[in-house]
Amino acid sequence: MTGRPRSTGTERWAAGCWGLLGLALGVVAAALLLVHVPERLERERDFDAVGRCAADRPPAECRRLAATVREAVSEHRNRKTYHRLTLTDAGGTTHRVEMLGRHPVFDAVSPGDPVTMTVWREQVRRVDFGELRQETTATPTGAYRLTAAAGLSTLAVSLGFLWAAWWWARRHTESPEREPRQVTVVVLAALGGAAIAFVAPLATDDLRTALLVAAVGEVPVAVVAALLVRHHRRRAGRSFDVTPRRPEKERCFPGTVLGEVPYAVPGYDHLVAAPGLLAATPDPTGRVARRPLPGTLVVERVRLPHRGDPGGTPGPGSHVVQCRDGGTPVFIVTDRADVPWVLGALGPRREALPRGGGEGN
């Protein structure tokens, strides 16, 4: 039970899964940020170069076509509402246009109303109705925002997953605990950073500002995550300082004894604690088939479950009372709330638990 535990097949599998997820998300983020965002920015610059087709006399690339509203429909699908106009131009061609929101044009028009469409590169970018003007979803202005938000947030999650893969690959050098908290901290930090990265492009006016806001927002998240990881790493394999509670009457609770000793019996999944008695039993009432733990048992410390412990995976909230019976290691696994009763039942056989860096119960 001493030394650094070796990497297992389960840990290598976990490292591989985290790594594959991280790489896949990294590829997606790269495609969004290095391909799709530049394409949308270039299209926006081209649209700006023609004055967004907003001049009284727009360039030849821009066409303004008179049209008539045939239908205005709001469609609800997948928790989202789409506002669409069906327009017919003077040549009889029908255009189905999705508007950005309801205001001001969509709410104002009715079937039969005359409108003016602004067409750029064969797509309707804007609809005018009298003095009212509204962009369509095909407008290049700001079209990069949602793509950049998706790319930056995906990149943040990708980095978190890749860090988790790296940590699992070398986990045996960091912590013996069965459920180390470092990975959880970093993955949660990555998700928090992803939320900041997603909002940044949507709340700013240009990509450079969005990147700056995202970078500044990630700093406190990264600092807090680094401090928590350092904190957990320093306390890896720590012992808990637990105050014994001597039972005045018999108490029966879930727990098991593990080790190469005769009183560690498979299926004995309950413990009976009483004054001067600690016994294992398969009976949830604790009345029959008791196996008392001997007076030679000595407590060494209380800790979290380790990967090298015998037996299966303990339930959530389990703690281990690490003991020895002569030269044989013995492990009493029970819920954290029941550890004081175990120590109290063992009574004078219990050694002083290590002090310093422990957690009180």
Side-chain angles (χ1 to χ4, degrees):
M1 300 307 300
T2 59
R4 290 175 175 173
R6 296 182 178 180
S7 177
T8 66
T10 300
E11 291 160 0
R12 289 191 291 270
W13 181 85
C17 288
W18 284 110
L20 288 175
L21 284 172
L23 289 174
L25 291 175
V27 171
V28 173
L32 291 172
L33 296 174
L34 301 180
V35 178
H36 295 288
V37 169
E39 286 179 352
R40 284 160 173 75
L41 287 173
E42 183 179 2
R43 193 177 299 123
E44 181 175 340
R45 286 192 293 268
D46 291 345
F47 196 48
D48 288 340
V50 295
R52 300 188 179 183
C53 298
D56 292 335
R57 293 183 179 180
E61 295 181 56
C62 303
R63 292 185 297 145
R64 289 186 178 171
L65 303 177
T68 302
V69 177
R70 296 304 179 195
E71 188 179 36
V73 176
S74 293
E75 179 183 351
H76 301 275
R77 190 175 68 242
N78 297 329
R79 298 183 179 181
K80 187 177 179 182
T81 302
Y82 301 88
H83 306 289
R84 295 188 174 93
L85 292 178
T86 301
L87 309 175
T88 303
D89 62 26
T93 303
T94 298
H95 304 263
R96 290 179 175 85
V97 180
E98 184 176 334
M99 308 300 293
L100 278 176
R102 299 183 61 94
H103 306 288
V105 171
F106 183 85
D107 275 346
V109 297
S110 301
D113 287 340
V115 295
T116 301
M117 303 183 302
T118 298
V119 180
W120 181 69
R121 293 185 178 178
E122 305 305 320
Q123 286 188 292
V124 179
R125 312 290 179 166
R126 182 185 300 117
V127 177
D128 294 328
F129 177 55
E131 298 298 324
L132 303 179
R133 172 170 288 179
Q134 185 176 352
E135 306 291 329
T136 72
T137 56
T139 180
T141 304
Y144 73 91
R145 288 195 177 100
L146 189 58
T147 305
L152 290 175
S153 58
T154 303
L155 178 61
V157 176
S158 170
L159 293 175
F161 284 9
L162 290 175
W163 188 95
W166 168 80
W167 197 91
W168 275 99
R170 62 189 299 271
R171 175 183 174 188
H172 61 285
T173 67
E174 295 285 339
S175 172
E177 294 177 3
R178 186 181 293 272
E179 296 180 359
R181 301 176 184 177
Q182 289 93 322
V183 172
T184 303
V185 167
V186 172
V187 171
L188 289 177
L191 294 177
I196 295 173
F198 187 85
V199 170
L202 304 179
T204 53
D205 294 330
D206 58 80
L207 183 60
R208 181 175 299 178
T209 305
L211 294 175
L212 180 61
V213 169
V216 172
E218 302 293 344
V219 170
V221 175
V223 169
V224 171
L227 291 175
L228 288 174
V229 167
R230 183 181 180 187
H231 171 73
H232 290 308
R233 184 173 57 207
R234 285 181 171 181
R235 299 180 65 186
R238 64 196 181 279
S239 299
F240 292 84
D241 182 15
V242 183
T243 302
R245 298 182 65 182
R246 188 174 180 83
E248 297 180 358
K249 60 180 182 179
E250 287 191 357
R251 304 178 66 93
C252 186
F253 46 84
T256 186
V257 180
L258 302 172
E260 297 180 1
V261 289
Y263 46 89
V265 182
Y268 279 53
D269 54 2
H270 281 73
L271 299 172
V272 177
L277 170 71
L278 183 65
T281 176
D283 180 15
T285 66
R287 297 175 181 175
V288 299
R290 295 182 178 184
R291 286 288 185 98
L293 277 61
T296 54
L297 193 66
V298 177
V299 175
E300 293 183 328
R301 62 174 178 148
V302 178
R303 57 169 173 78
L304 293 173
H306 287 182
R307 286 171 290 151
D309 291 345
T313 302
S318 295
H319 278 44
V320 176
V321 181
Q322 182 176 322
C323 310
R324 66 174 183 271
D325 189 349
T328 305
V330 180
F331 310 95
I332 304 172
V333 183
T334 189
D335 189 81
R336 173 177 177 171
D338 296 319
V339 170
W341 300 115
V342 171
L343 300 178
L346 291 173
R349 296 175 291 178
R350 174 179 177 270
E351 288 186 346
L353 293 177
R355 301 282 177 169
E359 279 189 8
N361 279 42

